[in-house]
Amino acid sequence: MIMAKRPEDVRTGTVRIVWPHLFAPYASENQDSEPSYSVAILIDKEDKKTLNAINAAYKAAFEAGVKKHGAKFQSKGKTPLIRPDGGNKGILIDCDSDLRPDSLDAEDVKGCYLMNLKRKNKPGVVAVQDGALVHLGEEDIQGGDYCQVTLSMYPYNHPQGGMGISKGLNNVCKMSDGEPLGTGSASAESDFADMASASAFGSGDNDEDPFA
């Protein structure tokens, strides 16, 4: 069951995380914004409970924006729930579209929505061990792991940034390990998988002089 404290809050089902920066604030070189704690989550399109919870929180945030900012927000504050082709705004990115980030392999994210989340303050990062919640360190979690995440939707009205709806990261609970994802490089396990059943040195199957 997906529970939340406010209408704008969501606790996801099990999702897969990408690009976690949960223990130190981070900003990429092409970002003008201040460094923040961040993570992206991959939501299976078949996870209707999570997607319905996100949609309900999105609607609640929009209603809160109208209540706070009036009719102007109602006409100008409608950030798309799913980013349209060619657009640069939207709560969810369809990974089956051309908007999928190039750093993510199409097969790895097939049938998923991507949501980028961040916050200014360090989030809680925990796991359940022996029936109790324990706090994790940076070495305990990586891109590709399976987690549940809490997040919040909220309306904004920036003097230069216009009006709309955005989302923020709250906390992360790791559920299980996953294959590395979004790291930008192969793992040692994948590079040397054949070594587990082979000798430490080459078998001599190809003894031709490479410099002949």
Side-chain angles (χ1 to χ4, degrees):
M1 181 178 180
I2 299 173
M3 299 174 290
K5 296 179 180 179
R6 304 178 306 140
E8 298 92 340
D9 295 339
V10 175
R11 193 182 87 185
T12 71
T14 299
V15 298
R16 204 170 180 195
I17 65 168
V18 194
W19 312 311
H21 298 281
L22 302 171
F23 299 91
Y26 169 84
S28 63
E29 294 180 357
N30 59 357
Q31 284 183 327
D32 295 330
S33 58
E34 295 182 3
S36 61
Y37 299 90
S38 61
V39 70
I41 62 174
L42 288 166
I43 307 164
D44 194 309
K45 291 180 180 179
E46 296 301 316
D47 185 356
K48 303 301 184 185
K49 285 186 177 180
T50 294
L51 293 173
N52 285 336
I54 289 171
N55 189 35
Y58 168 83
K59 291 179 178 178
F62 181 74
E63 292 174 2
V66 172
K67 184 176 181 179
K68 184 175 182 179
H69 303 295
K72 189 176 181 180
F73 189 91
Q74 190 161 15
S75 62
K76 296 185 177 182
K78 197 70 172 179
T79 301
L81 180 60
I82 300 174
R83 185 178 297 183
D85 289 341
N88 60 3
K89 288 186 177 182
I91 303 298
L92 300 169
I93 297 172
D94 187 348
C95 290
D96 295 321
S97 73
D98 292 338
L99 296 174
R100 171 183 54 82
D102 293 337
S103 58
L104 295 176
D105 186 88
E107 285 302 312
D108 289 334
V109 298
K110 184 178 181 180
C112 292
Y113 289 114
L114 179 73
M115 177 186 277
N116 293 301
L117 298 167
K118 64 181 181 178
R119 62 179 289 164
K120 292 182 179 180
N121 301 320
K122 186 177 180 181
V125 183
V126 299
V128 179
Q129 295 181 7
D130 298 324
L133 288 174
V134 296
H135 287 271
L136 301 183
E138 188 170 7
E139 69 280 1
D140 299 318
I141 193 166
Q142 66 174 353
D145 286 345
Y146 294 90
C147 301
Q148 290 191 8
V149 175
T150 53
L151 60 100
S152 296
M153 301 281 187
Y154 59 90
Y156 65 84
N157 181 12
H158 296 158
Q160 284 82 35
M163 295 180 171
I165 300 167
S166 192
K167 67 281 187 210
L169 171 66
N170 291 336
N171 298 293
V172 176
C173 180
K174 180 178 175 179
M175 307 303 289
S176 62
D177 292 333
E179 289 295 317
L181 180 65
T183 60
S185 60
S187 67
E189 289 81 3
S190 64
D191 278 348
F192 302 110
D194 60 314
M195 298 290 282
S197 58
S199 65
F201 296 96
S203 62
D205 290 340
N206 185 358
D207 291 331
E208 294 181 6
D209 185 349
F211 304 112

